[in-house]
């Protein structure tokens, strides 16, 4: 008799539960710095359901970026090889385009900075705007995050 290894695949309800748990954990986090140990409960459950730890950590980092809590997890990105770097980069590029487009839109309103904005490469600005529109359609809840909105508003007030 040949022994076949048991391979678990999470079902849709399990995946949804874990994604919601990650979003809630990210939403409720209000500290200055986060460690991967803070995710042990979710990671343990995910692994029991057949998900890789790297998937959980990557998704959590993405959610933190979506919520504008980059500064809380920045150290985790540079100190680990546990995340799915290609997925992280792809999603974060989308988030960056939304943030850049919001910043450019706000700066265009200030006459003082139109001169500087005119020096930016028009094709690149258009690409950022197009990517931002695509991302907003795919992820309707994703806008320039609350923290980023606050930074942009304070920047606008200084202009």
């Amino acid at each position: 008799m040949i022994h076949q290894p048991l391979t678990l695949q999470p079902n849709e309800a399990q995946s949804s539960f874990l994604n919601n748990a990650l979003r809630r954990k990210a939403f409720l986090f209000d500290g200055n710095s986060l460690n991967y140990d803070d995710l042990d409960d979710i990671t343990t459950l995910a692994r029991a359901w057949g998900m890789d730890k790297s998937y959980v950590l990557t998704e959590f980092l993405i959610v933190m970026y979506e919520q504008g809590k980059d500064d809380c997890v920045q150290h985790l990105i540079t100190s680990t090889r546990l995340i799915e770097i290609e997925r992280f980069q792809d999603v974060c590029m989308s988030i960056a385009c939304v943030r850049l487009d919001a910043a450019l839109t706000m700066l265009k309103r200030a006459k003082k900075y139109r001169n500087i904005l005119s020096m930016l490469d028009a094709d690149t600005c258009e690409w950022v705007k197009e990517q931002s529109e695509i991302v907003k359609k795919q992820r309707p809840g994703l806008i320039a995050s609350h923290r980023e909105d606050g930074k942009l508003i304070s920047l606008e007030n200084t202009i």
Side-chain angles (χ1 to χ4, degrees):
M1 179 177 222
I2 300 174
H3 180 266
Q4 297 266 338
L6 178 62
T7 56
L8 296 174
Q9 291 293 321
N11 62 39
E12 190 174 323
Q14 291 168 329
S15 294
S16 178
F17 179 86
L18 287 170
N19 285 331
N20 288 335
L22 289 170
R23 289 194 173 286
R24 181 164 172 74
K25 186 86 133 175
F27 178 76
L28 294 175
F29 183 78
D30 63 353
N32 293 328
S33 183
L34 182 87
N35 294 312
Y36 283 135
D37 295 343
D38 297 326
L39 297 172
D40 280 348
D41 51 349
I42 296 174
T43 305
T44 300
L45 181 59
R47 292 180 76 187
W49 284 345
M51 288 183 174
D52 290 334
K53 183 176 183 176
S54 62
Y55 170 82
V56 173
L57 299 177
T58 303
E59 289 304 308
F60 184 75
L61 291 174
I62 289 170
V63 171
M64 290 292 281
Y65 267 72
E66 286 176 344
Q67 294 183 14
K69 298 181 178 180
D70 317 16
D71 50 335
C72 301
V73 293
Q74 188 63 37
H75 65 285
L76 297 178
I77 295 163
T78 57
S79 68
T80 187
R81 291 181 225 170
L82 296 175
I83 65 171
E84 297 170 4
I85 200 70
E86 286 183 36
R87 171 148 172 69
F88 180 77
Q89 287 174 336
D90 289 345
V91 175
C92 287
M93 177 62 81
S94 300
I95 294 168
C97 285
V98 170
R99 290 179 182 179
L100 281 171
D101 184 50
L104 290 172
T105 300
M106 194 162 294
L107 289 173
K108 285 177 186 174
R109 294 182 196 152
K111 291 179 184 177
K112 181 176 171 180
Y113 290 101
R114 288 184 188 158
N115 174 7
I116 295 170
L117 290 172
S118 68
M119 291 187 274
L120 297 175
D121 181 67
D123 290 336
T124 302
C125 290
E126 186 60 31
W127 180 84
V128 166
K129 183 178 180 76
E130 289 170 4
Q131 294 303 308
S132 177
E133 294 301 320
I134 291 168
V135 172
K136 288 177 189 175
K137 287 177 186 171
Q138 293 172 344
R139 295 172 169 235
L142 179 63
I143 56 169
S145 68
H146 300 298
R147 288 188 183 192
E148 295 305 314
D149 283 346
K151 289 177 189 174
L152 290 174
I153 289 168
S154 66
L155 175 64
E156 183 179 37
N157 291 335
T158 62
I159 296 174

